Amino acid sequence: MRRGDCVDRWNADGESYWTVTEGAMMFLVLLPDGRRHIAFFRFPGELLCPQLDGGFVDYTLQAVCDTKLCRVGSLSVSQASLNGAQADHILDTACTRIARAGLHSLVLGRLTAPERIATFLIDVILRSRLQMEDGVEFLLPMNREDIADYLGLNSETVSRIFTRLRKVGVLALPRPGRAILRDARALLEMIPFEAVEQTLMPAPRIGGGQGSSNGEFGEENGIDRPGRRGAH
Amino acid sequence: MRRGDCVDRWNADGESYWTVTEGAMMFLVLLPDGRRHIAFFRFPGELLCPQLDGGFVDYTLQAVCDTKLCRVGSLSVSQASLNGAQADHILDTACTRIARAGLHSLVLGRLTAPERIATFLIDVILRSRLQMEDGVEFLLPMNREDIADYLGLNSETVSRIFTRLRKVGVLALPRPGRAILRDARALLEMIPFEAVEQTLMPAPRIGGGQGSSNGEFGEENGIDRPGRRGAH
DNA sequence: CGAGGTCTTGAGAACTCTCAAATCGTGTGG
DNA sequence: CCACACGATTTGAGAGTTCTCAAGACCTCG
């Protein structure tokens, strides 16, 4: 798919789901008066599933850039049709999304524009399975307006902040769609969270798959208890 | 419990969950620099469950006012320990929360202060199982600051908008903690959504919820490519 | 090399916030 | 029962961040 191509209501039969293989997808909401809002981006490896993504009356799921999807299955997200491991995986994905969504509300409700951008960049890097280290290069396929609509800003503000980050030496933007982290520490210091990793990449919370640092997929499904989680 | 009382990390054993019986609870996040954020409120009948509510490193679950909780059980939210109906219910709750959270992101990211307040009030009324009709009286137990921290505003702004709503005859506030809807139509017209009920009160989407009347499911299929749809 | 779109930059406006003070309401103690 | 004290709410004035509108620069693609 190319930028702007849609997966229309993306559930032919109400049950299909996909993963992103390459590129990125965005979930776009358009208000009657034209305001635009992007509810989330999905990167390679992440699941697209109507039941776990929905909640809007009007939306489209669009490709951010050249993107490939892989149809995982036509699966009723219901206990009746899942085996235990599948059910736990679905449920864990759901919980991770609740966590992410809650964090995003905090970002939109309480962070300044620069803080939102910094949080966004760190999130992109971590979800790309990269380290927060100087020199890492990462994909940033969405344009300024997409980022703005995701962060509750406008594109000019996003642009100004990117410019500032470039001038301060935090970030380099060698070509569109691509970015290099130049000063990881400075970027981390821009955001008002302490436990960044745990905050942005919530650990699985269902069925005990505790070791995985991969927020989106808890491929483990043992049934032992991780005990109390979170910072105390 | 009285206002401010906490359910500390509310999962002694990591597995308990409750419902609110009376009053209201709020999920409070405090940033290191003192900024306050309320991720959600829970009203009577709604479920409190760490796995389905979490995602923050630091939070407290506090009573908004005099509140009673009822412990539903000590239940592992995992396929292994649930029967089919329970699992579907948990999963459906999770999906509803994803939906709500997505909507809340839109509210915080793209709505003006008066729109946020109007959306909030309508949400409170609908979740109290009341109709959007002139004259309905409803509980509004949270104070201005709580509302502000939930909506990404500050308490003075909330207060100003409430005052305006009172003067315009949309709302009456006979006593703290209680409100009367005077002009339902006017309140509805303040918000930029069309299908208010479906937007604010998402229908169940697990286990047969699919065929329902809202336009959420079951249209055409799969991936379409209407050329490029991103550019206007 | 030209066209179209994206990104950048600037100037002014708008909305919301901050700080401050007055008012209101409730609970307490005399 | 009344006075007082404390917290919550309201209101005002000014400041600040972000938005809007606009124009120019840049880049990619044909």
Side-chain angles (χ1 to χ4, degrees):
Chain A
M1 324 172 64
R2 316 216 2 218
R3 161 160 254 261
D5 289 347
C6 299
V7 179
D8 193 41
R9 255 75 209 206
W10 93 96
N11 46 329
D13 41 67
E15 304 297 355
S16 299
Y17 66 90
W18 284 267
T19 57
V20 178
T21 295
E22 225 183 281
M25 299 296 292
M26 58 184 169
F27 187 102
L28 192 65
V29 182
L30 228 47
L31 296 187
D33 62 4
R35 273 175 283 187
R36 222 175 83 118
H37 171 71
I38 289 174
F40 54 76
F41 295 107
R42 291 273 175 262
F43 296 128
E46 297 177 339
L47 201 62
L48 290 165
C49 170
Q51 284 88 349
L52 300 183
D53 284 327
F56 291 96
V57 171
D58 249 330
Y59 60 81
T60 54
L61 187 74
Q62 285 190 200
V64 172
C65 56
D66 290 357
T67 297
K68 289 181 185 149
L69 301 186
C70 166
R71 180 175 183 152
V72 174
S74 178
L75 178 56
S76 171
V77 182
S78 149
Q79 150 67 22
S81 50
L82 298 173
N83 66 40
Q86 283 175 321
D88 276 359
H89 178 237
I90 292 287
L91 190 52
D92 187 55
T93 303
C95 292
T96 299
R97 292 199 178 168
I98 292 172
R100 278 187 192 292
L103 177 68
H104 198 224
S105 296
L106 170 61
V107 169
L108 296 179
R110 281 291 173 244
L111 301 200
T112 65
E115 288 169 337
R116 293 183 204 187
I117 303 255
T119 304
F120 171 70
L121 290 172
I122 295 169
D123 185 47
V124 169
I125 292 170
L126 294 180
R127 280 165 69 188
S128 304
R129 287 129 203 214
L130 298 169
Q131 299 292 125
M132 284 295 297
E133 289 170 353
D134 296 357
V136 290
E137 182 166 359
F138 58 99
L139 297 175
L140 202 63
M142 54 292 284
N143 66 25
R144 302 288 181 266
E145 193 182 352
D146 297 334
I147 297 173
D149 290 333
Y150 177 66
L151 294 176
L153 302 169
N154 71 7
S155 61
E156 293 94 331
T157 299
V158 173
S159 178
R160 278 183 248 270
I161 292 168
F162 271 54
T163 300
R164 202 188 311 166
L165 290 178
R166 225 176 333 105
K167 285 186 180 162
V168 178
V170 169
L171 209 64
L173 300 164
R175 68 184 68 232
R178 211 162 264 282
I180 301 172
L181 178 61
R182 287 276 178 236
D183 189 342
R185 170 154 299 282
L187 188 63
L188 286 166
E189 278 170 0
M190 285 181 64
I191 70 174
F193 304 118
E194 269 153 5
V196 184
E197 294 262 349
Q198 292 115 30
T199 304
L200 263 39
M201 301 291 283
R205 49 190 58 214
I206 300 296
Q210 85 184 62
S212 165
S213 61
N214 178 339
E216 195 67 32
F217 291 88
E219 39 254 54
E220 308 292 317
N221 49 315
I223 312 183
D224 61 20
R225 287 275 82 244
R228 306 178 65 178
R229 61 169 181 78
H232 294 247
Chain B
M1 329 170 59
R2 317 228 351 223
R3 161 161 252 264
D5 289 347
C6 299
V7 178
D8 191 41
R9 258 72 212 205
W10 90 99
N11 49 329
D13 43 68
E15 303 299 355
S16 298
Y17 66 90
W18 285 265
T19 57
V20 178
T21 294
E22 227 183 280
M25 299 297 290
M26 58 185 171
F27 187 103
L28 193 64
V29 183
L30 229 46
L31 296 187
D33 63 3
R35 276 176 279 188
R36 221 175 82 118
H37 170 71
I38 289 174
F40 55 77
F41 295 107
R42 292 273 176 261
F43 296 128
E46 297 177 338
L47 201 62
L48 290 165
C49 169
Q51 285 88 351
L52 300 183
D53 284 327
F56 292 95
V57 170
D58 248 330
Y59 59 81
T60 54
L61 187 74
Q62 282 190 204
V64 172
C65 56
D66 290 359
T67 297
K68 288 179 184 151
L69 300 186
C70 166
R71 180 176 185 152
V72 173
S74 178
L75 179 57
S76 171
V77 182
S78 150
Q79 151 65 24
S81 51
L82 296 174
N83 65 41
Q86 284 176 322
D88 276 0
H89 178 239
I90 292 286
L91 189 52
D92 187 56
T93 303
C95 291
T96 299
R97 289 194 182 174
I98 291 172
R100 278 186 190 292
L103 177 68
H104 199 223
S105 297
L106 171 61
V107 168
L108 296 179
R110 280 293 173 241
L111 301 200
T112 65
E115 289 169 336
R116 294 183 204 187
I117 303 253
T119 304
F120 172 70
L121 290 171
I122 295 169
D123 186 47
V124 169
I125 292 171
L126 293 179
R127 280 164 72 188
S128 304
R129 288 129 202 214
L130 297 169
Q131 299 292 126
M132 284 295 296
E133 289 170 353
D134 296 358
V136 289
E137 183 166 359
F138 58 99
L139 297 175
L140 200 65
M142 55 291 286
N143 66 26
R144 301 289 180 264
E145 194 181 352
D146 296 333
I147 297 173
D149 290 333
Y150 177 66
L151 294 176
L153 302 171
N154 71 8
S155 61
E156 293 94 330
T157 298
V158 173
S159 178
R160 279 183 247 270
I161 293 170
F162 271 54
T163 301
R164 202 188 310 166
L165 291 178
R166 230 182 322 109
K167 285 185 178 161
V168 178
V170 169
L171 209 66
L173 299 164
R175 69 184 64 233
R178 209 162 265 279
I180 300 173
L181 178 61
R182 288 276 179 233
D183 189 341
R185 170 155 297 282
L187 188 62
L188 286 167
E189 278 170 0
M190 286 182 65
I191 71 175
F193 305 119
E194 269 152 7
V196 184
E197 295 262 348
Q198 290 115 28
T199 304
L200 263 41
M201 300 292 282
R205 47 188 58 212
I206 299 298
Q210 116 184 42
S212 56
S213 53
N214 65 33
E216 191 71 39
F217 298 115
E219 319 246 291
E220 38 236 76
N221 54 355
I223 300 170
D224 69 6
R225 21 183 103 195
R228 322 194 42 181
R229 246 169 95 172
H232 312 286

